[in-house]
């Protein structure tokens, strides 16, 4: 399987399509997906698309910064949606 491209990312970014089915099959709705080699955050991106929580572990500070930049818009969107559900019921 070829790696995917992501601006600013490290060398081994994989395509989201690769993990959509395993995350969907292996983690229940509102479950938690663990990625011990977080990299640029592809796993978290797919987990959020599926309405699942996630925990990412990354030792490299550069990759952590990349994932934060990549995921910030999605995290803000999710928090906004969650707050709207609380408010509107």
């Amino acid at each position: 399987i070829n790696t995917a491209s992501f601006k600013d990312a490290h060398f081994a970014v994989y395509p989201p399509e690769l993990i959509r089915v395993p995350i969907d099959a292996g983690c229940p709705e509102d479950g938690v997906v663990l990625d011990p080699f977080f990299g640029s955050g592809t796993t978290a991106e797919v987990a959020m698309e599926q309405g699942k929580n996630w925990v990412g572990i990354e030792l490299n500070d550069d990759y952590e910064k990349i994932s934060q930049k990549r995921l910030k818009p999605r995290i803000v969107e999710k928090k906004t949606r969650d707050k709207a559900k609380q408010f509107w019921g």
Side-chain angles (χ1 to χ4, degrees), residues 12-85:
V13 176
Y14 49 85
E17 297 80 26
L18 180 66
I19 57 168
R20 281 195 177 106
V21 171
I23 288 176
D24 189 40
C27 183
E29 193 69 30
D30 292 326
V32 179
V33 177
L34 172 64
D35 185 352
F37 306 100
F38 200 62
S40 63
T42 303
T43 299
E45 186 174 58
V46 172
M48 284 189 285
E49 284 175 6
Q50 295 183 9
K52 296 169 180 163
N53 298 304
W54 53 271
V55 174
I57 301 168
E58 180 54 62
L59 298 177
N60 186 309
D61 290 337
D62 293 334
Y63 297 161
E64 180 189 2
K65 289 173 189 163
I66 290 168
S67 67
Q68 287 178 8
K69 180 179 176 184
R70 177 184 190 179
L71 297 172
K72 184 176 181 179
R74 289 196 179 265
I75 291 168
V76 169
E77 178 184 327
K78 181 183 182 322
K79 287 182 178 181
T80 302
R81 194 171 40 248
D82 291 348
K83 286 291 183 187
K85 284 181 186 176

